[in-house]
Amino acid sequence: YQRRVHGRFSNMAPKRDLAAAKLRRQGIDPELIGVIDSILADQEHAQKLALLTAKAGARGAAPAPPGKGGPAPSTAAPAGPPAKVVKMRATESHSGEVTYEKGATVFLVGEPDASGMVQTVASGKTGKAPAKHFVEITEELLKHEREEKERLAEENRKKEEERLQAELESEKKKIEADASSPAAAKAPEVETKKQEVDAKFKAERERLLAEEKRIKEEAARLEELMRQLDADDD
């Protein structure tokens, strides 16, 4: 599948093309659209691999058993159903035939072999990886991941606020100490400096709150987008 886009050829498959257009209409951040498109690309890769594996298995099937009139002709068995493709979350980082970071979305094709390795598609690459590295992406997992991101965002904001509050108190004490010196500024000037420090803290706190809100909204949006991917697969 190819079509010309702004003078270049795009290899984006129809499903991915439509998904990207839908996300753009929703006003989703382009970087997040890129993440979703990469996931869809890996999913397509995994599904094609599952079909090829089924066909290869049929070609390599044993010949039919001999009949009374002698050995049966050597024929390939019909291809069975494709191997199961499952969307998973990596719980550990790995570098080998395929490379992925902890938290990555990957696709497993078929069942693990006797050594516990399973065919894995990650970041456009295919190879064996330890099956124990993965957990299935479920609604419960998506909810837990969102809540964990929200918790960390709030925790980081509070820690930064505490640091800023300590700096604020330190600056005010310095202003008061300077005010007690022989060359101290007049009282109104001291009060003005304190107000400037308070205004600085307020501005920083508003920035921290805005960043926390952004992270939480992005986490909720990502959770919903992952749910939509599952709904589109049904």
Side-chain angles (χ1 to χ4, degrees), residues 163-182:
R163 184 188 67 78
L164 289 172
Q165 185 68 48
E167 287 185 4
L168 169 68
E169 297 302 326
S170 178
E171 286 192 44
K172 283 188 174 181
K173 286 179 180 179
K174 186 176 183 303
I175 291 171
E176 290 171 355
D178 291 344
S180 62
S181 66

Side-chain angles (χ1 to χ4, degrees), residues 15-219:
K15 180 179 178 181
R16 291 165 53 201
D17 205 359
L18 292 172
K22 179 181 177 181
L23 295 177
R24 284 193 294 270
R25 288 195 299 271
Q26 294 175 5
I28 301 300
D29 183 85
E31 185 174 345
L32 196 51
I33 293 177
V35 171
I36 297 300
D37 182 60
S38 294
I39 292 173
L40 289 175
D42 281 348
Q43 183 180 43
E44 289 180 358
H45 189 165
Q47 290 169 342
K48 289 177 182 177
L49 179 62
L51 289 171
L52 289 173
T53 301
K55 292 179 180 178
R59 287 196 300 269
K68 292 182 179 180
S74 178
T75 57
K84 185 178 181 182
V85 174
V86 186
K87 183 161 73 263
M88 307 287 275
R89 180 75 75 230
T91 58
E92 297 182 38
S93 297
H94 177 74
S95 180
E97 291 184 13
V98 286
T99 298
Y100 47 82
E101 298 295 328
K102 180 179 179 181
T105 300
V106 306
F107 291 88
L108 306 189
V109 181
E111 299 296 328
D113 60 22
S115 62
M117 303 293 280
V118 64
Q119 197 75 352
T120 305
V121 177
S123 301
K125 303 293 184 181
T126 303
K128 291 291 187 73
K132 64 181 181 180
H133 280 189
F134 310 111
V135 294
E136 187 170 358
I137 297 178
T138 62
E139 288 199 6
E140 291 75 16
L141 178 66
L142 292 175
K143 180 182 178 183
H144 171 75
E145 290 178 340
R146 172 181 55 78
E147 291 175 343
E148 183 64 11
K149 288 177 183 176
E150 291 175 343
R151 183 188 68 77
L152 288 174
E154 188 171 341
E155 184 179 287
N156 290 337
R157 187 260 305 165
K158 287 180 177 178
K159 285 181 179 178
E160 191 65 11
E161 272 189 1
E162 290 174 1
R163 184 188 67 78
L164 289 172
Q165 185 68 48
E167 287 185 4
L168 169 68
E169 297 302 326
S170 178
E171 286 192 44
K172 283 188 174 181
K173 286 179 180 179
K174 186 176 183 303
I175 291 171
E176 290 171 355
D178 291 344
S180 62
S181 66
K186 296 179 182 179
E189 294 179 9
V190 171
E191 189 61 29
T192 298
K193 288 182 179 180
K194 287 184 177 181
Q195 290 175 358
E196 289 174 352
V197 171
D198 285 334
K200 178 183 175 182
F201 173 78
K202 182 180 179 182
E204 282 296 305
R205 184 172 186 275
E206 289 176 350
R207 181 188 65 78
L208 291 172
L209 288 170
E211 178 64 9
E212 178 187 353
K213 181 182 178 183
R214 183 193 68 77
I215 292 173
K216 288 183 175 181
E217 288 177 347
E218 185 177 276

